[in-house]
Amino acid sequence: MHALDLPLAEPVSLAQRRKREADKLAKRLRHQVGKAIADFGMIEDGDKVMVCLSGGKDSYTMLDVLLQLQKKAPVSFSLTAVNLDQKQPGFPEHVLPDYLRTLGVDFHIIEQDTYSVVSRVIPEGKTMCSLCSRLRRGALYTYAEQHGFTKIALGHHRDDLVNTFFLNLFFHAKLSGMPPKLLSDDGKHVVIRPLAYVREDDIEAYAEAKGFPIIPCNLCGSQENLQRKQVKKMLAQWEKESPGRIETMSRALGDIRPSQLSDPTMFDFLALGRRGDGASPDAHAWLAGDATPAE
């Protein structure tokens, strides 16, 4: 008997492998963004969503995935890409409009010279991010209110949420972070972060595969000693030593136990296991060694 001559499988080209990987990545991102939207009630029927587009990989990815989900979403909503031109020297003003026109998406460019304000107010060598962020947020919130947007979408991802938690813990002595959905302090705006479940590494790979026209931020890009960069470096080292640690910490942000922390405004420790109705000695009495309530 002769062995059957079976046809050899055709080798998969590098381009084909890359396409398969890109398709799998796109599917994963759609799933993660769709799950975040569902878990936190980010988008409702009839919403006007303002997608804040900076020209970075995160906001490009957010817009791209939202446009894909919009086609098959269980609710009807509109998307408008909005960019704030902060008048940074050398900013390529044509890049975003040219790109957005190719998508056929509704967009608007806000022009506001926050660069001059930040450069004038912040001493040379000091961190500009905080003031820049406040001015940018104010301009975007004002535009959203003036044009009736019901949701403001920001491109913060999973790693940003974890990073912000540790930034606040280490440098501001508080347990707070960056929630996937937020009502602004004045109650006028609902901010959503559709990329809340998405890894930064996946966003980088997706942006590269899609060939987004990335615009770097030159205002503060040279400031190497930022606190956020210190925390990011620490988390990267942790992830290298124990892969999956960032994901674990991300899940922990959604499993808060107030009674197992120390904030008396979140849990009534004074009433816990208390016997009797008498007044408790105040702090001054304890510090003075007087166990009786002050008169």
Side-chain angles (χ1 to χ4, degrees):
M1 295 181 63
H2 297 285
L4 294 176
D5 293 327
L6 297 177
L8 297 176
E10 294 185 6
V12 178
S13 69
L14 178 60
Q16 288 174 316
R17 288 201 303 272
R18 286 178 174 173
K19 184 179 184 305
R20 289 179 184 177
E21 292 172 359
D23 289 344
K24 287 171 59 178
L25 177 58
K27 183 177 181 180
R28 181 161 69 250
L29 264 58
R30 287 194 300 270
H31 173 79
Q32 291 172 335
V33 172
K35 186 173 185 342
I37 291 173
D39 285 352
F40 298 100
M42 292 185 182
I43 298 177
E44 303 171 77
D45 191 51
D47 265 340
K48 289 183 61 178
V49 182
M50 185 176 91
V51 182
C52 298
L53 200 65
S54 66
K57 64 179 177 12
D58 305 332
S59 58
Y60 274 129
T61 297
M62 174 177 63
L63 175 63
D64 191 89
V65 176
L66 286 176
L67 286 170
Q68 294 179 55
L69 293 176
Q70 185 185 36
K71 299 174 182 178
K72 297 183 179 181
V75 297
S76 176
F77 62 95
S78 67
L79 295 171
T80 298
V82 175
N83 169 257
L84 175 62
D85 180 354
Q86 299 176 269
K87 299 303 176 183
Q88 297 179 30
F91 182 79
E93 298 179 358
H94 66 284
V95 171
L96 278 170
D98 289 352
Y99 171 73
L100 293 169
R101 289 189 188 102
T102 66
L103 298 181
V105 65
D106 182 44
F107 73 91
H108 181 79
I109 307 297
I110 305 171
E111 296 188 10
Q112 184 169 317
D113 189 1
T114 62
Y115 176 84
S116 294
V117 176
V118 174
S119 299
R120 184 178 69 253
V121 174
I122 303 297
E124 185 176 355
K126 297 294 183 180
T127 301
M128 298 179 178
C129 295
S130 179
L131 177 59
C132 179
S133 177
R134 290 199 302 272
L135 293 174
R136 184 170 63 247
R137 182 167 59 246
L140 292 171
Y141 279 16
T142 297
Y143 185 81
E145 182 177 4
Q146 292 173 342
H147 292 81
F149 288 101
T150 56
K151 301 288 169 59
I152 299 174
L154 302 180
H156 300 116
H157 46 70
R158 181 205 68 175
D159 298 49
D160 285 328
L161 272 60
V162 174
N163 189 302
T164 300
F165 172 80
F166 282 101
L167 182 69
N168 288 330
L169 176 66
F170 293 149
F171 297 102
H172 303 291
K174 60 182 179 180
L175 290 179
S176 68
M178 190 181 281
K181 184 179 181 182
L182 172 72
L183 183 65
S184 63
D185 292 340
D186 59 11
K188 294 180 180 179
H189 307 285
V190 177
V191 176
I192 59 175
R193 296 182 169 97
L195 301 180
Y197 290 157
V198 181
R199 299 168 61 243
E200 183 174 19
D201 287 348
D202 282 347
I203 292 174
E204 289 178 351
Y206 190 75
E208 182 177 354
K210 298 288 288 189
F212 296 137
I214 304 298
I215 302 174
C217 177
N218 296 319
L219 179 61
C220 57
S222 62
Q223 296 177 315
E224 295 296 338
N225 294 320
L226 300 180
Q227 294 171 345
R228 185 172 290 276
K229 288 188 176 181
Q230 294 178 40
V231 172
K232 188 173 182 178
K233 182 178 180 181
M234 177 198 73
L235 293 176
Q237 183 62 33
W238 283 2
E239 184 70 15
K240 181 179 179 180
E241 295 172 355
S242 302
R245 180 175 287 187
I246 292 179
E247 177 61 28
T248 298
M249 292 185 290
S250 174
R251 292 200 305 269
L253 294 178
D255 187 9
I256 309 300
R257 317 290 176 92
S259 65
Q260 297 177 28
L261 298 173
S262 308
D263 188 346
T265 66
M266 295 292 295
F267 191 80
D268 191 356
F269 291 101
L270 292 177
L272 181 65
R274 185 174 177 180
R275 296 179 292 107
D277 299 325
S280 299
D282 61 22
H284 295 294
W286 278 108
L287 291 173
D290 183 1
T292 60
E295 293 295 329

